[in-house]
Amino acid sequence: MPSIQAEGDKHHAERRAEAHGDHHEDSHDHGSVRSYMTGFVLSVVLTAIPFAVVMGGGFESRLLTAAVVVGLAVVQILVHMVYFLHMNTRSDEGWTMMALIFTVVILVIVLAGSLWVMYHMNTNMMPQMDHEALGLGS
Amino acid sequence: MSTVSPQAPGDFWEVEPHHHHEGASTSIGFWVYLMSDCLMFAILFATFGVLGGSYAAGPGPKDLFDLELVALNTAFLLLSSITYGLAMLAMVKNNKGGTLGWLAVTLVFGLAFLAVELYEFSHLIHLGAGPQRSAFLSSFFALVGTHGLHVAFGCLWLVTLMIQVGQRGLIPANRRRLSCLSMFWHFLDVIWIGVFTFVYLLGMI
């Protein structure tokens, strides 16, 4: 396929010229070795800490352990978004960021709503609760 | 009667569709797909969050999960993410051999992840802790299994693209496809962060 290959090369050369022309404001950011390695090292650290904490038995307070594990996960998700998925407010005129924000809003509603509603259903509507309320024991 | 002079439609309406170069909207379209996939995982996470404590007098996370195995799997997926990134960088440099090489390494890590996960599943089912044992295990298998299925299809896609790139080189269409799979692959790693945090680590605390 020499002609297709040549076409590909030509296209690439054009794109490279474009990228150099407008000072790397290419909407498709492919990152660099440096950015990928930064993301990788951060991810390894952010994965190793929660695993070490939990495998080592955790802190005295289970709530603190859970908070640390979840907090580090949130940071790691942000690291992946920035360094691996190249999220920014510029690509596709900001529409990828808009789609992400919309998804996060729905996601929070689905997760928080389900957990909240089902928790209250469980605690308020389980049959044994009637017995406890009547003082008959469960 | 009428003083309005008839105009050719072209003067009033834009008859010609806007010209975008082929594939210009692929990345945003694929991103929207990933966001809808993310919502599907959100529902599976919510289901696990609700049912994750319903053991039906059966085994719980502490009886079943082996964190060393999960750490190994996490390492495989994280390494596959960075090797896919290196494949993309080789693609930008127009290095076909390098791209194919790093894609092959990514595939090996992806398959290793699947092998460990299948081993874990078969081990659980062998213990009698299959998806039918309790609501906790049903939601566990649904969530982790769906992620594993995504990785399996990602591997299939990876093989397809390696053949495409091998046969036709790094043509614009293949670059576009590699970018899409790149998003898909890194997205699966993001989902895995949620899985190992909420299913495995929080279950073992």
Side-chain angles (χ1 to χ4, degrees):
Chain A
M1 305 284 160
S3 63
I4 293 171
Q5 182 66 52
E7 220 172 86
D9 291 350
K10 196 178 135 214
H11 174 82
H12 179 69
E14 273 167 16
R15 277 185 44 172
R16 214 165 24 182
E18 246 171 57
H20 279 287
D22 58 18
H23 300 285
H24 299 282
E25 280 178 0
D26 188 5
S27 68
H28 296 281
D29 180 14
H30 291 292
S32 61
V33 177
R34 195 188 160 85
S35 73
Y36 272 111
M37 282 304 163
T38 312
F40 181 67
V41 170
L42 283 174
S43 297
V44 168
V45 171
L46 290 168
T47 307
I49 295 173
F51 269 96
V53 165
V54 175
M55 286 164 99
F59 302 117
E60 275 181 39
S61 153
R62 289 184 65 205
L63 195 65
L64 178 65
T65 314
V68 167
V69 167
V70 172
L72 288 171
V74 171
V75 176
Q76 197 184 347
I77 286 174
L78 290 177
V79 165
H80 276 243
M81 286 281 178
V82 171
Y83 289 101
F84 292 162
L85 284 164
H86 312 303
M87 278 305 293
N88 56 51
T89 50
R90 299 181 309 277
S91 56
D92 285 305
E93 294 162 15
W95 285 109
T96 46
M97 183 58 87
M98 289 299 281
L100 177 67
I101 292 169
F102 175 71
T103 309
V104 169
V105 169
I106 301 286
L107 197 139
V108 168
I109 294 172
V110 166
L111 283 174
S114 304
L115 293 175
W116 181 40
V117 169
M118 293 310 287
Y119 173 78
H120 283 277
M121 295 277 271
N122 261 338
T123 46
N124 295 329
M125 297 187 75
M126 287 300 255
Q128 67 263 31
M129 290 306 289
D130 295 333
H131 294 271
E132 280 171 10
L134 292 168
L136 299 173
S138 53
Chain B
M1 192 171 104
S2 168
T3 56
V4 178
S5 60
Q7 287 180 309
D11 295 342
F12 196 75
W13 290 291
E14 282 194 60
V15 190
E16 293 293 321
H18 290 288
H19 182 72
H20 292 294
H21 67 89
E22 190 193 346
S25 55
T26 304
S27 67
I28 175 79
F30 196 76
W31 182 254
V32 171
Y33 154 68
L34 285 183
M35 291 300 99
S36 67
D37 217 24
C38 189
L39 289 181
M40 188 189 71
F41 275 109
I43 292 164
L44 289 170
F45 272 109
T47 312
F48 184 82
V50 169
L51 300 175
S54 311
Y55 306 132
K62 286 184 182 170
D63 309 313
L64 297 173
F65 296 156
D66 179 1
L67 275 190
E68 283 167 21
L69 216 55
V70 181
L72 183 70
N73 245 353
T74 308
F76 282 151
L77 218 52
L78 202 52
L79 285 167
S80 82
S81 252
I82 185 71
T83 57
Y84 200 106
L86 294 173
M88 289 299 285
L89 292 176
M91 183 197 87
V92 172
K93 286 184 187 148
N94 225 16
N95 175 359
K96 180 178 159 183
T99 309
L100 284 175
W102 284 118
L103 287 180
V105 177
T106 310
L107 180 66
V108 170
F109 282 127
L111 292 176
F113 172 85
L114 283 177
V116 172
E117 191 160 284
L118 285 176
Y119 163 76
E120 188 196 14
F121 281 4
S122 70
H123 178 65
L124 291 182
I125 292 168
H126 183 72
L127 287 176
Q132 71 275 39
R133 180 63 189 83
S134 64
F136 153 64
L137 282 162
S138 302
S139 55
F140 166 80
F141 274 92
L143 172 58
V144 183
T146 306
H147 177 270
L149 207 59
H150 275 74
V151 176
F153 277 100
C155 287
L156 192 66
W157 190 1
L158 197 57
V159 172
T160 324
L161 279 188
M162 282 172 72
I163 295 169
Q164 284 268 4
V165 171
Q167 284 186 344
R168 290 166 189 270
L170 294 167
I171 55 172
N174 279 345
R175 286 166 186 274
R176 199 165 65 230
R177 291 164 188 152
L178 284 171
S179 298
C180 285
L181 182 54
S182 164
M183 284 196 269
F184 187 73
W185 202 265
H186 294 309
F187 167 76
L188 287 184
D189 208 5
V190 171
I191 298 292
W192 182 252
I193 298 171
V195 172
F196 79 68
T197 300
F198 290 104
V199 176
Y200 291 103
L201 290 181
L202 287 189
M204 296 296 272
I205 289 173

